[in-house]
Amino acid sequence: MEYTRQQAWELFNKYNKGEFHIRHAVTVEGVMRYFAQKRGYGDEADKWGIVGLLHDLDFEMYPDEHCIKEQELMKEAGVPDDIIHATASHGYNLTVDIKPEHEMEKVLYAVDELTGLIGAVALMHPSKSVQDLEVKSVKKKFKDKKFAEGCSRDVIKAGAEMLGETLDDLIAETIDAMRSCEKEYSKY
């Protein structure tokens, strides 16, 4: 039996009520779908999207058990093991020792923090949109450690390395991914 987006959405909303968390989850969902298409996993785009949607399932209610509690919550809800493993792996070397292995897991690890940083930079622009955002604007704020302090630059760099990409290329690709789904996540 296939695990559906609707099931994931209902589970996510059971543990997440805040606009920030919902918007982030929907953003990462769209970005993951984009990367699935771009990297030759188009037939798995729904699964990649579900992983993006559920990756922070436990963060709002259980921030001190992030990537640990969500495994338990997902297991109880009947989420497939591969989705549980993928979502938990984005906490690698932070809260869990589950290393991202599949390309989907590496992408999630790389873009989770980066989407937050890019979103924060976009909000500083007059348009408040990623549509006209440039890599150089993100790079400038990337270097400013006080800007969007919660977005780990070390994780972003490690994610780019894990994917074998330069930081500039990962930023450019993630901006494109966010452009592709901005209409959806901006509803929140």
Side-chain angles (χ1 to χ4, degrees), residues 4 15 17-18 31 53 58 61 70 79 85 103 117 127 130 144 152-153 166 172 177 179 184:
T4 67
Y15 297 101
K17 307 295 181 211
V31 167
L53 179 64
D58 60 2
M61 291 180 73
E70 71 184 24
V79 176
H85 185 277
E103 187 153 7
L117 180 67
S127 69
V130 293
D144 178 359
S152 171
R153 275 62 166 175
T166 66
R179 285 177 180 153
E184 183 60 31

Side-chain angles (χ1 to χ4, degrees), residues 43-69:
D43 57 333
E44 295 180 29
D46 290 340
K47 179 178 173 181
W48 283 48
I50 287 168
V51 165
L53 179 64
L54 291 178
H55 81 283
D56 279 347
L57 178 68
D58 60 2
F59 193 76
E60 186 174 325
M61 291 180 73
Y62 307 98
D64 295 336
E65 299 175 75
H66 184 42
C67 295
I68 299 165
K69 184 72 173 176

Side-chain angles (χ1 to χ4, degrees), residues 75-118:
K75 227 178 233 336
E76 286 172 6
V79 176
D81 288 342
D82 58 338
I83 292 174
I84 296 170
H85 185 277
T87 59
S89 73
H90 88 280
Y92 178 63
N93 275 345
L94 301 168
T95 58
V96 297
D97 61 358
I98 300 169
K99 186 175 184 179
E101 292 169 14
H102 185 279
E103 187 153 7
M104 172 179 61
E105 297 170 346
K106 293 175 182 178
V107 169
L108 176 63
Y109 183 84
V111 303
D112 176 35
E113 299 285 319
L114 184 53
T115 58
L117 180 67
I118 291 170

